[in-house]
Amino acid sequence: MVRKILLGIVCCVFAGSLSAAQKQLSLASPDGKLKATIDIGEKLTYNVIYDGKEVIAPSAISMTLDNGTVWGDNARLQKSTEKQIDTKIASPFYRADSVRDQCNELTMKFKGDYSVVFRAYNDGIAYRFVNHAKDPFCIVREEVDYRFPADAVATVPYVNRGNDGDFNSQFPNSFENVYKSEKLSELNQQRLMFLPLFVKTDDGVSVCLTETDLYDYPGLYLVADDGLRLAGVHAGYPKTVEGGGYNNLQLLVKDREDFVAKVEAPRNFPWRIAVISENDKDIAASNLSYLLAEPSKLSDISWIKPGKVAWEWWNAWNLDGVDFETGVNNDTYKAYIDFASKNGIEYVILDEGWAVNMKADLMQVVDAIDIKELVDYAAERNVGIILWAGCYAFERNMDEVCKYYSDLGVKGFKVDFMDRDDQLMTEFNHRAAATAAKYKLILDLHGTHKPAGIHRTYPNVLNCEGVFGLEQVKWITADVDQVTYDVMIPFIRQVAGPLDYTQGAMRNASKGNYYPCYSEPMSQGTRCHQIAMYVVYDSPVNMMCDTPSNYEREQTCTDFIADVPTVWDETRILDGELGEYIVTARRKGDVWYVGGINNWTPREVEVDLSFLNDGSHQVELFKDGVNAHRAGRDYASESLSVDGKTKLKLRMAPGGGFAMRIE
């Protein structure tokens, strides 16, 4: 009898162990280096192992609904399925004409009408919640938790508005700030951080955190908590919104609900992405944000035309040597159109000032501007016109505005001052994209958050800001290090998608010589640093920020910049390290471009050209001049012959760079 009781106890223990084992699932990347382990118990948690090292410690995920249900707590698994994915995805207007989608996927269906999906790629782990319920509800809170096994260096962009500790005051922000690097344990717990952000472990493994497929849902912030933890925060759903703010062009939230999102029907929620590698260059090369985004909603994209833009706002409409007063008037814009036409530049933008100020009405145009005349003048010269618009003005009568200006011949809009990413604002971005596409208009979503997949879902959204771009040097003081920020962007912000950085300055300041100048601004760093950005940065519609007068005085540089494509057939990150330097190679047809940018430390890099086809190739090279450390405008250009065995050694000055065209 005793033996039977003992045997029963043993069996029960074994059964309990078996049950516990059945509540732990794992998923590995195709190459086996990355592994996620998901534990289903009182909490739904996961951890991530890279090459035998734990890089993300067990971290809880959940969603709290307004009926008190918590998805992920005491979850009851109904079934799990695994599948392998390996396909190529067409990627128009991107850094490559197609990208490989290769991963292993685990879907866990839980009782309560929801699922959680994990994907393991060779360069990262991603997960998302999926709602299957048909009845509407609200999400009170989404638990997003990134716990690290040990202290590590985080490189983060803090929200730069609002009061410490008051997250509601921090939610309205422009998503523009330089990065700060410090230990996880030393991060400011009173300030929100927006995505993407970067963590490097003591083992030398880099992790870039971001999200994608963000639509009709609030964007994710992270805040430091408990020393080694980054916790998710979302803006509350806007209860009351009204026009106001800068020149009456913003939609301001007056108060918020105690929930973050409304859910009206079955839907997917955003992917939470951790891009992981021991090489920073692999982080910069990641396509996960694009791969995991919702596929294009547009059946016809033949009308979408990427390209460069002659831009007047950064240089304050400055022209010299003309016989008219420059400013917001047709004579000025005709000069910009002539410059664009002469140099093969696809667009000219009418930035802030063409619509009557403070009216938030895009149908009211200032007396000095005749848009129809400018559109016709530009069309005769094979140049398109893009119009700037404040968010509130665009929202008020979006369909009417898009139809009217499309019928007039305008090619697109640059929409600005969204300055939020709560549910209503992410919905606005997608609705703006859909409405613009209806009338065959391209969009540059300026004054907004990271693209988070919208550039795949709506390919007419050719660019997004969400970056501390070159416009900042019109006013930042010399203690703000724009150059070092420049060599962080490819490893952090650009992981989320293209960026409207607005490069191309012809006035260039070496270290110690920079000062802010609103009407005649200059860059920090060298001329070649600026030129190289056209190769290094993803930007399908790309500004040439300086005045035509300066470009015409620097025609050799202008010819090269105007020739650089804005979309590519292939991109390779050849070398780089966060905050130090990066070297990028891109191909369009049979022509390669290689660009490198540097921080303030002079360095020599070796560029391996083994990616070239057989035979000899001709190179047009722009490199820092011998005195670029003293005069940022100093550069040298030369022609040379290379082949696939060539390894070019190139010196980059402090704040320097290089760029080359290879045929």
Side-chain angles (χ1 to χ4, degrees), residues 255-267:
D255 53 2
R256 297 183 182 273
E257 303 282 4
D258 57 3
F259 57 86
V260 302
K262 293 180 178 180
V263 179
E264 304 293 339
R267 60 161 297 169

Side-chain angles (χ1 to χ4, degrees), residues 377-571:
Y377 185 87
E380 291 171 359
R381 291 154 179 80
N382 199 32
V383 176
I385 295 295
I386 296 172
L387 299 177
W388 183 92
C391 171
Y392 179 39
F394 198 73
E395 164 76 336
R396 290 180 70 183
N397 52 352
M398 188 186 298
D399 196 89
E400 177 189 358
V401 163
C402 287
K403 183 180 188 309
Y404 175 80
Y405 285 108
S406 177
D407 289 347
L408 212 63
V410 169
K411 300 302 181 183
F413 280 93
K414 174 183 176 181
V415 186
D416 205 351
F417 286 104
M418 284 73 96
D419 288 358
R420 297 170 18 224
D421 66 347
D422 50 50
Q423 184 177 20
L424 287 185
M425 188 53 72
T426 62
E427 187 275 335
F428 165 85
N429 280 352
H430 282 73
R431 181 161 42 86
T435 305
K438 177 181 174 182
Y439 297 104
K440 293 184 167 52
L441 295 168
I442 63 171
L443 279 186
D444 175 0
L445 295 176
H446 207 70
T448 194
H449 55 86
K450 62 194 178 299
I454 195 172
H455 53 302
R456 181 181 178 191
T457 310
Y458 288 99
N460 61 315
V461 180
L462 289 174
N463 221 341
C464 293
E465 191 184 18
V467 68
F468 194 83
L470 200 71
E471 67 181 25
Q472 303 290 333
V473 300
K474 289 169 70 74
W475 51 76
I476 61 172
T477 54
D479 62 308
V480 180
D481 189 348
Q482 187 75 20
V483 161
T484 299
Y485 178 77
D486 292 345
V487 289
M488 291 179 168
I489 289 171
F491 307 94
I492 306 180
R493 165 60 182 85
Q494 193 164 274
V495 174
L499 49 105
D500 195 17
Y501 182 92
T502 67
Q503 63 267 39
M506 293 292 105
R507 296 182 72 211
N508 315 108
S510 57
K511 193 172 181 64
N513 290 342
Y514 163 82
Y515 60 90
C517 182
Y518 195 88
S519 60
E520 291 190 277
M522 69 192 73
S523 72
Q524 294 185 16
T526 72
R527 173 73 54 79
C528 286
H529 188 97
Q530 288 291 304
I531 295 173
M533 286 179 178
Y534 288 97
V535 181
V536 172
Y537 290 167
D538 294 329
S539 196
V541 60
N542 205 348
M543 305 294 164
M544 292 178 64
C545 69
D546 219 324
T547 168
S549 300
N550 286 345
Y551 284 125
E552 288 167 351
R553 282 188 282 269
E554 302 284 355
Q555 195 63 49
T556 302
C557 296
T558 302
D559 288 344
F560 184 89
I561 291 170
D563 183 64
V564 179
T566 62
V567 295
W568 305 92
D569 296 329
E570 183 179 357
T571 293

Side-chain angles (χ1 to χ4, degrees), residues 108 123 144 325 329 339 354 362 364 519 523 552 565 577 647:
M108 296 168 289
D123 61 341
V144 183
E325 185 173 350
N329 56 58
F339 164 73
W354 66 269
L362 297 175
Q364 296 190 43
S519 60
S523 72
E552 288 167 351
E577 184 179 350
K647 295 182 179 180

